[in-house]
Amino acid sequence: MNVINYTQGVLQYIPFFYVIWSDDLLSYSEISVIKTAIHEDETLRKDDQDILISWLNPKAPPKDKELKNWKKTITNSYIKLVESEVHPLTTFCQKLVCYYHADCPFNVRLKDIEINLGIQPNHYKHLFDLEVVQEITSNHYDSSKIDLILKGKHTTVVDDFRKVLKAPIFDWGIKRTKEEFREHVLQQVKFLAKEGYGAMAYPEAYGGTENMPGYAAIFENLMYVDGSLAIKFGVQFGLFGGSIQKLGTKKHHDQYLTNTGETKLLGCFAMTETGHGSNVRGVKTTATYHKETDSIIVHTPGKNDNKEYIGNALHSTMASVFAQLIVNGKNEGVHAILVPIRNKEHKLMPGVTIEDNGYKLGLNGVDNGKIWFHQVRVPRENLLNKYGDINANGMYHSDIKNPNKRFFTMLGTLVGGRICVARAGLGGAKKALAIAVKHALKRRQFNDSIKIQEDLLMDYPTHQLRLTPAVAACYVYDVTLTHMMEIYSDKSVVDKRKIETQAAGLKSIITWFSNNTIQECREACGGKGYLLENQIANLKNDVDIFTTFEGDNHVLLLLAAKGILSEFKSEFNSAGFTAVLKLLGSRLTDKLSTINPAYTNNTDKDHLYSSKFHKHAFDYRTRRLTYTLAMRIRDYVKKGIPSYQAFLKVQTHLLALGKAYSIELAYTTFTNFTETIEDEKYRQLFQKMGTIYALHELRKDASWYLEQRYISGTKSKAIRSRVERLSTELRPHIKTLVDGYGIPEHCMNAPISKN
């Protein structure tokens, strides 16, 4: 027993008195509550009660000496306050008595004071030493190991890049004017160019390492700094530089590629037009070859035929312009031509008109503009001639004779951009989730009738359900996009049509997912998520446009669906159609028309968690949609409806097929990847994330599966229940999972994400 000047009865009240007198604002209602508790406290002797009551006189508050004695008594005990206790201050009092006296029961009267006065730790925790034993997260998994699994062979590249992002130029701040913002982003891009990252995807001869997968891996990290930086970087080096690299030949590479990678040449990618949007084949800008002067004349023929929403338009000196190439009176289709748009003094070239698009919903650090060309003449050599050229005799030639194939081969160069946009959107979703989760692991709200300590937001099942499936989906999409870029960059894969179909669908579902996730995170953070300082608002505004550029998502899903139906010709006869149906039919099993009732009603955990079930469900949906879509188109064509009109009538069906195919692709890619993880503990973690992704996606489309009688109502309920259960099971590891994204700490500067 320790020597102390206070009796056991008085001692147990000292922490309460120390708290209530710390602000010198003891109210009469508080006095009444405390007096009642003291009078009803059977553990107190009469003299103890008298001492305590004497300390409740507002007109004669305890002397400073007394307050110092209280503090000394508390400090000398080395007892720490545990915020997560059900009744933290009462429990603290009990522990204090235990330190100085042998007998130390829990005092319910003190608990009554704590409840009735609504005293909570945030009111007084600054007065005591705190012991952090809140089990807000588990250390069962190591986030750095998870990050390592995601980075894979790009670990060194990504880690080095994250270190570069520590430079002061990447410190985040609110830029109020677009001019200031644009200039800041431009300097950031130039800084990265000096570090060698602009030319990263280019051949070594032009300052690069020809590492397109590595380029895509670092691209996501740019979103952790700022969306405008990611897009400006992508326009300069990916779109403009990429068009020179992918569509040009050695003469263009030698003349422009090094300067582009070093930002000595700033360029833009002028494809989209006001009147034609995603219809690249239908652009109206013309590039007419003039044989007498051996030049190409670029012209905007109509009011709405101008290039629209062109990133880098205000800073650039050259544009990669997509136009209808006309040679000897014949339209050879869309080609890209390099057109100087400003001189060395940054003055517009003759015939070029550029207007600022002005302020946008987001990405105001990117200088988007409109461009018109009025009979602008450039040398014949400015034609990016990898897939189509005009020789010295003024004759057009292409090794790809079929105009359609030539057009889609050229557009294949956009695949890398679509993958990068999806990665950027995914980066935005990851950062929003990291902010929201970390906020939910410290923000408390509500409690039950007996707890004083409020509950963490992350401990509410609804909050878990809002965020956890999205946290897992980020892993699925990360792995999938990495795999897609590897295939796209594989030079042995000559025909890129399949990857174009896949990239179109994935870009759509992932950018939609990103927007929905960021909105959910904003709401999950309440009013704090609405503040600019917490960065979710910026992410929300910046990522919004990702559903539109690099291809409108609906258009891309239609493209993906038509890729799946690639055996169809634009116009086909009955024999051709029969052949297609025979091919489709051979891919279908009897299970399409007959589903075993035992399977339909199976709610066993092992079955619902089985990747075999998930793959079958996704495969069934894709095949069924393909088959029924083919049948519908056939029926329309049989009635004499032109194929184009037939496709218009089934657009919603096409969209459903595009989504189904993309989700199946993502899940299959992820499950194949998880099988390669050598560490069993982490392999099982990734498998669990794949499971929650699959069940969540099946749940979202439960109505379709119910309509097809693939699942019963009972099974649908079981799937919903399992998603909720898995969200709860991952709760202890949720912080580790968002840390596993590898977002650099210096990029996580939202105040609500701090501990």
Side-chain angles (χ1 to χ4, degrees), residues 495-548:
D495 190 346
K496 304 290 186 182
R497 283 178 293 182
K498 185 174 182 179
I499 187 66
E500 183 180 357
T501 295
Q502 294 175 336
L506 289 172
K507 184 265 182 182
S508 298
I509 67 167
I510 292 173
T511 54
W512 269 325
F513 160 80
S514 298
N515 273 280
N516 293 337
T517 297
I518 293 170
Q519 175 63 23
E520 194 66 64
C521 290
R522 204 294 298 157
E523 294 181 27
C525 293
K528 287 292 186 181
Y530 200 63
L531 294 174
L532 285 180
E533 68 175 14
N534 289 319
Q535 300 186 333
I536 294 179
N538 270 5
L539 290 169
K540 185 174 184 294
N541 292 340
D542 289 349
V543 174
D544 186 281
I545 193 62
F546 291 8
T547 64
T548 301

Side-chain angles (χ1 to χ4, degrees), residues 272-293:
T272 303
E273 292 181 357
T274 301
H276 301 89
S278 297
N279 182 17
V280 179
R281 180 180 280 182
V283 297
K284 296 299 183 182
T285 300
T286 58
T288 305
Y289 176 66
H290 190 250
K291 191 171 185 178
E292 287 73 16
T293 58

Side-chain angles (χ1 to χ4, degrees), residues 278 507-508 547-557:
S278 297
K507 184 265 182 182
S508 298
T547 64
T548 301
F549 63 40
E550 289 295 321
D552 175 271
N553 281 0
H554 286 87
V555 175
L556 290 184
L557 277 184

Side-chain angles (χ1 to χ4, degrees), residues 618-731:
F618 289 142
D619 181 62
Y620 173 84
R621 181 172 60 177
T622 302
R623 292 190 182 192
R624 181 79 185 180
L625 287 168
T626 303
Y627 181 80
T628 53
L629 178 61
M631 296 297 289
R632 288 183 67 193
I633 294 173
R634 183 197 66 172
D635 290 344
Y636 283 127
V637 172
K638 277 187 172 181
K639 294 176 182 178
I641 296 175
S643 60
Y644 176 76
Q645 294 296 327
F647 273 95
L648 289 183
K649 288 180 175 293
V650 296
Q651 275 195 334
T652 55
H653 200 147
L654 286 163
L655 291 174
L657 174 58
K659 288 180 182 178
Y661 171 82
S662 302
I663 290 167
E664 179 184 6
L665 172 64
Y667 178 73
T668 302
T669 303
F670 184 75
T671 52
N672 290 341
F673 172 81
T674 59
E675 293 173 3
T676 68
I677 300 175
E678 296 180 359
D679 190 313
E680 184 179 358
K681 182 168 78 170
Y682 289 90
R683 183 171 65 252
Q684 290 177 351
L685 173 64
F686 272 64
Q687 287 171 342
K688 180 172 284 190
M689 288 193 287
T691 298
I692 193 173
Y693 172 81
L695 292 179
H696 187 60
E697 287 298 330
L698 293 175
R699 177 61 192 164
K700 286 196 294 185
D701 206 16
S703 59
W704 185 89
Y705 284 102
L706 288 166
E707 289 169 1
Q708 304 301 319
R709 295 180 180 153
Y710 182 86
I711 62 174
S712 65
T714 302
K715 191 168 186 175
S716 177
K717 292 178 183 178
I719 291 173
R720 179 187 64 201
S721 177
R722 286 296 169 184
V723 172
E724 294 176 0
R725 176 63 182 270
L726 285 167
S727 296
T728 300
E729 287 181 12
L730 287 172
R731 159 64 184 88

Side-chain angles (χ1 to χ4, degrees), residues 253-500:
H253 300 166
D254 292 345
Q255 188 171 357
Y256 302 113
L257 213 50
T258 299
N259 287 339
T260 299
E262 295 176 353
T263 61
K264 292 177 182 177
L265 171 64
L266 294 176
C268 58
F269 187 81
M271 175 182 280
T272 303
E273 292 181 357
T274 301
H276 301 89
S278 297
N279 182 17
V280 179
R281 180 180 280 182
V283 297
K284 296 299 183 182
T285 300
T286 58
T288 305
Y289 176 66
H290 190 250
K291 191 171 185 178
E292 287 73 16
T293 58
D294 195 26
S295 61
I296 296 173
I297 300 172
V298 180
H299 184 64
T300 304
K303 181 179 178 181
N304 291 321
D305 301 328
N306 60 285
K307 298 301 179 180
E308 171 77 273
Y309 220 90
I310 307 305
N312 231 9
L314 281 299
H315 289 154
S316 294
T317 57
M318 181 171 281
S320 182
V321 180
F322 286 75
Q324 303 289 350
L325 181 63
I326 301 172
V327 183
N328 298 323
K330 181 181 178 182
N331 188 340
E332 301 291 353
V334 176
H335 289 65
I337 303 96
L338 294 177
V339 181
I341 57 177
R342 288 186 175 87
N343 59 23
K344 293 181 180 179
E345 288 73 39
H346 208 67
K347 302 295 183 181
L348 288 174
M349 298 292 283
V352 177
T353 302
I354 298 180
E355 288 184 4
D356 192 338
N357 271 123
Y359 283 98
K360 300 156 291 187
L361 177 64
L363 298 178
N364 282 303
V366 181
D367 49 321
N368 294 98
K370 306 174 185 178
I371 307 178
W372 290 261
F373 303 96
H374 182 72
Q375 305 294 340
V376 177
R377 190 183 301 271
V378 299
R380 170 173 57 88
E381 286 74 16
N382 282 29
L383 172 67
L384 295 176
N385 61 339
K386 182 175 183 179
Y387 298 110
D389 196 12
I390 303 172
N391 63 26
N393 296 323
M395 303 301 292
Y396 179 83
H397 170 76
S398 174
D399 291 334
I400 305 174
K401 302 304 180 183
N402 187 306
N404 287 335
K405 185 176 181 181
R406 184 167 64 240
F407 172 74
F408 284 109
T409 300
M410 290 185 196
L411 282 194
T413 60
L414 292 176
V415 171
R418 286 171 180 162
I419 295 174
C420 284
V421 166
R423 282 219 78 107
L426 185 61
K430 285 180 178 179
K431 185 169 183 179
L433 282 166
I435 294 170
V437 165
K438 292 185 177 185
H439 175 61
L441 289 172
K442 71 173 187 176
R443 174 72 159 86
R444 296 181 180 274
Q445 185 90 326
F446 305 115
N447 54 18
D448 59 25
S449 59
I450 62 170
K451 286 175 63 177
I452 288 298
Q453 178 76 337
E454 292 186 304
D455 291 321
L456 288 170
L457 293 182
M458 205 65 233
D459 286 334
Y460 287 102
T462 52
H463 216 77
Q464 295 163 8
L465 191 58
R466 294 171 74 180
L467 301 180
T468 308
V471 169
C474 284
Y475 280 90
V476 174
Y477 293 141
D478 186 303
V479 167
T480 301
L481 290 175
T482 297
H483 179 69
M484 289 300 108
M485 186 56 81
E486 294 286 349
I487 296 175
Y488 171 69
S489 304
D490 187 347
K491 292 182 179 180
S492 67
V493 181
V494 179
D495 190 346
K496 304 290 186 182
R497 283 178 293 182
K498 185 174 182 179
I499 187 66
E500 183 180 357

